[in-house]
Amino acid sequence: MRTDQMLTRLERVFARLDREPERPAHLQTPQMSRHRIVLLGSTLAFYLAIVVAVLTTSWLVRLDWQVMFFRPYEQWPQLHAFLDYLVVLGQRGPTAVMVAAWLGWRSWRQHTLRPLITLGVALLLLNITVGAVKLGLGRLGPHYATQIGSAELFAGGDIFPSGHTANAVVTWGILAYLASTTVTRRVLSVVSATVSLSVGATTVYLGTHWVSDVLLGWSAGLLIMLALPWFEPLIAGVEARVFALRERQRRRLETGTVPAPVASMLTPLLSAGGKWQLRLPAGATGPQEAAAPAGPPVQAAAGAAHAPAPRPTAHISGRPHLIRSERTPVTPAGSRRPAHTERPAAAGRAAARPAAGG
């Protein structure tokens, strides 16, 4: 009884995996609406304003230095242990694994790869955009600053914008972006905003980022989330290609197509006098010919005219093949023991002894 239940569960799993992709009726793909375009333009203007403010060493840079001299980690040391764990919510590795596990379960349940592909596209955009600005501006962090009041740009650093903050916005914001209902989307938007704000403030508390780094990180992550609807056709195309590849692989397994490396080692079946033979390539070990079941005639290859003359084949009768237990035993003629060369001489000596005694 237990075996039947286990088989039923396995059959259900494979049946779900083999189903065609289907999107729930209540799940709609976000569109690039006018409201989203306005938010995207406003966020982009804010992003550029922060970059210009840091490049011109304006009041924002002075604020960075004031907060750095304030040293928040010394003002509230009792929060240090807790915030060391909280900042992990902005690290790319742990957060990507957690969110990918959740989205992978959703992909399996909804029979679609859109959640996982959307996460991959968002993280790719994050790495390209944030990484390019980090390496291009090369700003040093508060712990490595060398000149008071300086923006510390083009000095080989990589902290502007804050990667932890931008990653928190994208990784946790993708859950709200892929939400199934309006209520769920609003709740997850509040949760992701709270997490990203907390992670950004924590990096300032720990002294690993300037205030301007966090502001730019929030803007960079929000830009990616607002621009994702433009990449929906790309996501749909990748999903369609993956499922088409899976369908081709399934058809190959069902038809039993021989893989190319194996097919290249075997020559085609050749017809000879109504019988069929399987010719192995030149230099191959083993029997040169083997009988094949009757079937439709196969045309010889285009280069068969230049091939050497076929070797004589051994024709097998049409009788069914019998296994060893069904064969009629054959009694061998004569003795199976080998001939003994010394036995005749011994027999002659035995016969001669009585004659001598008489």
Short mmCIF file of all heavy atoms in Angstrom, two decimals, residues 5 10 47 50 77 100 120 131 148 156 166 168 197 228 243 246 256 262 265 280 300 303-304 308 345:
data_model
loop_
_atom_site.label_atom_id
_atom_site.label_comp_id
_atom_site.label_asym_id
_atom_site.label_seq_id
_atom_site.Cartn_x
_atom_site.Cartn_y
_atom_site.Cartn_z
N GLN A 5 1.30 4.42 -2.93
CA GLN A 5 1.22 5.84 -2.63
C GLN A 5 2.47 6.57 -3.12
O GLN A 5 2.39 7.66 -3.68
CB GLN A 5 1.04 6.04 -1.13
CG GLN A 5 -0.31 5.56 -0.62
CD GLN A 5 -0.45 5.76 0.88
OE1 GLN A 5 0.50 6.20 1.53
NE2 GLN A 5 -1.61 5.43 1.41
N LEU A 10 5.15 10.18 -7.20
CA LEU A 10 6.13 10.39 -8.25
C LEU A 10 5.46 10.68 -9.59
O LEU A 10 5.91 11.54 -10.36
CB LEU A 10 7.04 9.17 -8.38
CG LEU A 10 8.06 8.97 -7.25
CD1 LEU A 10 8.81 7.68 -7.46
CD2 LEU A 10 9.02 10.15 -7.19
N TYR A 47 19.02 60.58 -9.59
CA TYR A 47 20.29 59.85 -9.72
C TYR A 47 21.38 60.76 -10.28
O TYR A 47 22.51 60.83 -9.74
CB TYR A 47 20.06 58.65 -10.63
CG TYR A 47 21.25 57.74 -10.80
CD1 TYR A 47 21.39 56.60 -10.03
CD2 TYR A 47 22.22 57.99 -11.77
CE1 TYR A 47 22.46 55.74 -10.19
CE2 TYR A 47 23.30 57.15 -11.94
CZ TYR A 47 23.41 56.02 -11.15
OH TYR A 47 24.49 55.19 -11.32
N ILE A 50 22.59 63.48 -7.78
CA ILE A 50 23.53 63.01 -6.76
C ILE A 50 24.93 62.88 -7.35
O ILE A 50 25.93 63.27 -6.71
CB ILE A 50 23.04 61.68 -6.18
CG1 ILE A 50 21.72 61.87 -5.45
CG2 ILE A 50 24.08 61.09 -5.22
CD1 ILE A 50 21.10 60.57 -4.98
N PRO A 77 26.66 51.65 20.49
CA PRO A 77 27.39 50.38 20.32
C PRO A 77 26.53 49.15 20.59
O PRO A 77 26.85 48.05 20.13
CB PRO A 77 28.53 50.49 21.33
CG PRO A 77 28.06 51.47 22.34
CD PRO A 77 27.18 52.44 21.61
N ALA A 100 15.84 33.15 -5.02
CA ALA A 100 15.78 32.20 -6.13
C ALA A 100 15.08 30.91 -5.72
O ALA A 100 14.37 30.30 -6.52
CB ALA A 100 17.19 31.90 -6.64
N GLY A 120 16.95 36.71 -12.94
CA GLY A 120 18.25 36.72 -13.61
C GLY A 120 18.50 37.99 -14.41
O GLY A 120 19.60 38.55 -14.38
N GLY A 131 28.02 48.16 -11.31
CA GLY A 131 29.44 47.87 -11.43
C GLY A 131 30.18 48.86 -12.31
O GLY A 131 31.32 49.25 -12.01
N ILE A 148 40.45 65.32 4.07
CA ILE A 148 39.20 65.79 4.66
C ILE A 148 38.52 66.79 3.72
O ILE A 148 39.16 67.71 3.19
CB ILE A 148 39.46 66.46 6.03
CG1 ILE A 148 40.05 65.43 7.00
CG2 ILE A 148 38.18 67.05 6.60
CD1 ILE A 148 40.41 66.03 8.35
N GLY A 156 40.59 54.63 -7.05
CA GLY A 156 40.66 53.17 -7.05
C GLY A 156 39.67 52.48 -6.14
O GLY A 156 39.77 51.26 -5.95
N ALA A 166 21.58 48.89 -3.34
CA ALA A 166 20.96 48.61 -4.63
C ALA A 166 20.52 47.15 -4.73
O ALA A 166 19.44 46.85 -5.27
CB ALA A 166 21.94 48.95 -5.76
N ALA A 168 19.60 45.22 -2.24
CA ALA A 168 18.41 45.04 -1.40
C ALA A 168 17.16 45.53 -2.12
O ALA A 168 16.10 44.89 -2.05
CB ALA A 168 18.59 45.78 -0.07
N LEU A 197 15.73 50.32 2.93
CA LEU A 197 16.07 51.50 3.74
C LEU A 197 16.88 51.10 4.96
O LEU A 197 17.85 51.81 5.34
CB LEU A 197 14.79 52.22 4.16
CG LEU A 197 14.01 52.94 3.05
CD1 LEU A 197 12.68 53.46 3.58
CD2 LEU A 197 14.83 54.10 2.48
N LEU A 228 12.03 47.35 -15.66
CA LEU A 228 11.87 45.92 -15.98
C LEU A 228 10.77 45.64 -17.01
O LEU A 228 10.92 44.71 -17.81
CB LEU A 228 11.60 45.14 -14.70
CG LEU A 228 12.81 44.57 -13.98
CD1 LEU A 228 12.38 43.76 -12.76
CD2 LEU A 228 13.65 43.71 -14.91
N PHE A 243 11.54 26.21 -23.35
CA PHE A 243 10.52 25.18 -23.46
C PHE A 243 10.56 24.49 -24.82
O PHE A 243 10.26 23.29 -24.93
CB PHE A 243 9.14 25.78 -23.21
CG PHE A 243 8.81 25.94 -21.76
CD1 PHE A 243 8.69 27.20 -21.20
CD2 PHE A 243 8.65 24.84 -20.95
CE1 PHE A 243 8.39 27.37 -19.87
CE2 PHE A 243 8.36 24.99 -19.60
CZ PHE A 243 8.23 26.25 -19.05
N ARG A 246 13.29 21.96 -24.53
CA ARG A 246 12.83 20.82 -23.76
C ARG A 246 11.93 19.92 -24.59
O ARG A 246 11.99 18.68 -24.49
CB ARG A 246 12.07 21.30 -22.52
CG ARG A 246 11.71 20.19 -21.54
CD ARG A 246 10.67 20.62 -20.55
NE ARG A 246 9.38 20.84 -21.18
CZ ARG A 246 8.25 21.03 -20.50
NH1 ARG A 246 8.27 21.03 -19.18
NH2 ARG A 246 7.10 21.23 -21.12
N GLY A 256 13.62 7.63 -29.81
CA GLY A 256 14.81 6.79 -29.68
C GLY A 256 15.87 7.09 -30.69
O GLY A 256 16.50 6.19 -31.24
N VAL A 262 27.40 7.87 -31.77
CA VAL A 262 27.17 6.45 -32.02
C VAL A 262 26.83 6.21 -33.49
O VAL A 262 27.28 5.24 -34.10
CB VAL A 262 26.05 5.93 -31.10
CG1 VAL A 262 25.78 4.47 -31.37
CG2 VAL A 262 26.44 6.15 -29.65
N MET A 265 29.74 5.93 -35.91
CA MET A 265 30.58 4.73 -35.85
C MET A 265 29.98 3.57 -36.62
O MET A 265 30.67 2.58 -36.90
CB MET A 265 30.78 4.32 -34.38
CG MET A 265 31.53 5.33 -33.54
SD MET A 265 31.60 4.84 -31.81
CE MET A 265 32.46 3.27 -31.97
N LEU A 280 30.46 -3.24 -40.12
CA LEU A 280 31.20 -2.34 -39.24
C LEU A 280 32.25 -1.61 -40.04
O LEU A 280 32.70 -2.09 -41.08
CB LEU A 280 31.86 -3.14 -38.10
CG LEU A 280 30.88 -3.86 -37.16
CD1 LEU A 280 31.67 -4.64 -36.11
CD2 LEU A 280 29.97 -2.86 -36.49
N ALA A 300 21.95 2.62 -50.37
CA ALA A 300 23.37 2.73 -50.04
C ALA A 300 23.78 4.18 -50.05
O ALA A 300 23.14 5.01 -50.65
CB ALA A 300 24.19 1.93 -51.06
N GLY A 303 28.67 7.47 -51.47
CA GLY A 303 30.05 7.04 -51.76
C GLY A 303 30.21 5.54 -51.76
O GLY A 303 31.34 5.07 -51.65
N ALA A 304 29.11 4.76 -51.81
CA ALA A 304 29.24 3.31 -51.74
C ALA A 304 29.89 2.74 -53.00
O ALA A 304 30.43 1.64 -52.98
CB ALA A 304 27.87 2.67 -51.55
N PRO A 308 35.07 -0.78 -51.06
CA PRO A 308 35.53 -2.11 -51.51
C PRO A 308 34.38 -3.08 -51.63
O PRO A 308 33.31 -2.88 -51.08
CB PRO A 308 36.51 -2.51 -50.39
CG PRO A 308 36.10 -1.71 -49.21
CD PRO A 308 35.59 -0.40 -49.77
N ALA A 345 52.19 -48.68 -24.81
CA ALA A 345 53.42 -49.36 -24.40
C ALA A 345 53.22 -50.12 -23.11
O ALA A 345 53.70 -51.23 -22.90
CB ALA A 345 54.54 -48.34 -24.26
#
